[in-house]
Amino acid sequence: MRNKKLIAVLIVVCSITLLVVLNSVIFSVRSVSAYCYNADDPELEQTVIEKSGIKKGGSIFTLNEKKVTDTLHRNVGNVKVINIEKKFPNRVYINYVKIFEYFRIHQGNKYYFCGNDGRILRISDVPGLSSATIELRLSTPISESVREGDKFASQSDSEVMITIELLSALERLDYHKYSQDMFDFVDISKSQYVFIKTRAGIMIELQGSGNLTAKLRIALSLYENLSSDKLTYGTIIVPDGDGREVQRSDENRYEKIMGKVE
């Protein structure tokens, strides 16, 4: 009877030992790869792997995907993690998108370069390639304590949400990839108005801060049908509310309403 109990204990101990050995040998992380959906950037891929905090040799079972995602968002400002894939027994894939610099905010002697998710990707003393980014004009200044990776305002701030919605609208309307060549600046500093200065010269005025996708669609539809001489000056006006009719005015509405010269 005693021998049977001893055998049973030995079997349990051996089983546990075997599981531990298998876990450490077979199910330990051996390979970490990164894949970017929207850019071919080997240097960034290597940075993502290095900054992920994933240690080779660690158990794939205890790998915390959320922790890895938070670590990357904190340490690599210009990426957005899509998901962390565990490929058993020992491979991990980090899938992400590269966030490009779309907006440039000039405040004091600093330039804040922002991505399409409202995060500050880079802070510089020089404007850089001004033609590659759209100037963003805000009503409230950016906090001096803001760092790379932070939102340029609070997540609930209306100006951040308007900015993100505008970029989302451009993406849905298939203008997202052309926006930097098409627009000079966006001014959302006055409540109930969104002004977009095109590089051709004409201004787009969206009245009201809601339903920007529909309003922008209407404005760009008229923009594409204007003759080249009509694109160099004036304002495309999209009123707020249902039944709105887009119109073009020879008047510089930006100067009139905002009191600013573009």
Side-chain angles (χ1 to χ4, degrees):
M1 187 68 177
R2 184 176 299 175
N3 289 337
K4 289 183 178 179
K5 288 182 179 180
L6 181 60
I7 292 172
V9 170
L10 288 173
I11 291 174
V12 171
V13 170
C14 289
S15 298
I16 293 173
T17 303
L18 180 62
L19 287 173
V20 171
V21 171
L22 287 174
N23 182 58
S24 61
V25 175
I26 299 177
F27 296 105
S28 60
V29 177
R30 293 283 181 257
S31 170
V32 181
S33 303
Y35 176 74
C36 183
Y37 286 133
N38 64 339
D40 182 13
D41 191 336
E43 185 176 343
L44 180 59
E45 288 182 8
Q46 188 60 37
T47 299
V48 167
I49 293 171
E50 292 174 355
K51 299 289 186 179
S52 67
I54 300 175
K55 296 180 179 180
K56 291 184 179 180
S59 173
I60 196 170
F61 291 110
T62 60
L63 181 68
N64 188 317
E65 293 97 323
K66 185 180 184 304
K67 184 178 179 180
V68 173
T69 299
D70 291 343
T71 298
L72 281 170
H73 286 170
R74 185 172 59 253
N75 295 330
V76 189
N78 62 334
V79 302
K80 179 180 180 181
V81 177
I82 303 303
N83 65 347
I84 308 294
E85 288 186 82
K86 295 180 181 180
K87 293 290 186 181
F88 289 94
N90 54 20
R91 291 177 296 165
V92 178
Y93 292 90
I94 305 169
N95 299 307
Y96 67 96
V97 293
K98 181 177 181 178
I99 300 174
F100 294 94
E101 296 176 356
Y102 283 98
F103 288 109
R104 183 185 73 257
I105 302 170
H106 184 201
Q107 181 176 297
N109 61 349
K110 296 288 185 182
Y111 292 88
Y112 301 83
F113 295 85
C114 307
N116 58 349
D117 62 348
R119 278 191 292 163
I120 294 175
L121 306 182
R122 183 164 59 93
I123 302 174
S124 176
D125 295 328
V126 294
L129 299 174
S130 58
S131 62
T133 51
I134 305 167
E135 181 186 351
L136 181 61
R137 300 180 180 180
L138 307 171
S139 63
T140 53
I142 296 175
S143 170
E144 294 182 358
S145 62
V146 74
R147 299 181 303 172
E148 293 179 3
D150 293 341
K151 298 284 185 180
F152 62 78
S154 65
Q155 177 63 37
S156 61
D157 189 279
S158 62
E159 292 183 333
V160 177
M161 302 313 294
I162 289 172
T163 303
I164 295 173
E165 186 179 348
L166 275 173
L167 282 166
S168 178
L170 289 167
E171 190 171 50
R172 288 196 292 270
L173 298 173
D174 203 28
Y175 279 90
H176 194 262
K177 54 189 174 183
Y178 306 114
S179 61
Q180 291 165 302
D181 295 325
M182 188 174 183
F183 303 131
D184 185 21
F185 70 76
V186 173
D187 192 324
I188 54 177
S189 63
K190 190 174 183 65
S191 177
Q192 299 306 309
Y193 285 97
V194 175
F195 281 100
I196 305 172
K197 170 70 180 303
T198 69
R199 297 197 186 276
I202 196 169
M203 186 76 67
I204 295 175
E205 174 190 332
L206 308 179
Q207 297 179 358
S209 58
N211 202 15
L212 293 180
T213 301
K215 293 174 184 174
L216 195 56
R217 180 188 294 113
I218 294 170
L220 292 175
S221 178
L222 177 59
Y223 177 92
E224 290 183 337
N225 286 284
L226 290 174
S227 58
S228 57
D229 61 313
K230 294 290 186 181
L231 288 174
T232 59
Y233 67 99
T235 308
I236 295 174
I237 307 165
V238 182
D240 199 10
D242 296 330
R244 53 184 170 266
E245 292 185 6
V246 62
Q247 56 182 301
R248 180 194 175 279
S249 170
D250 287 343
E251 183 181 26
N252 187 327
R253 297 261 302 170
Y254 184 70
E255 288 186 15
K256 179 180 180 181
I257 295 174
M258 306 295 290
K260 300 178 182 178
V261 179
E262 73 276 11

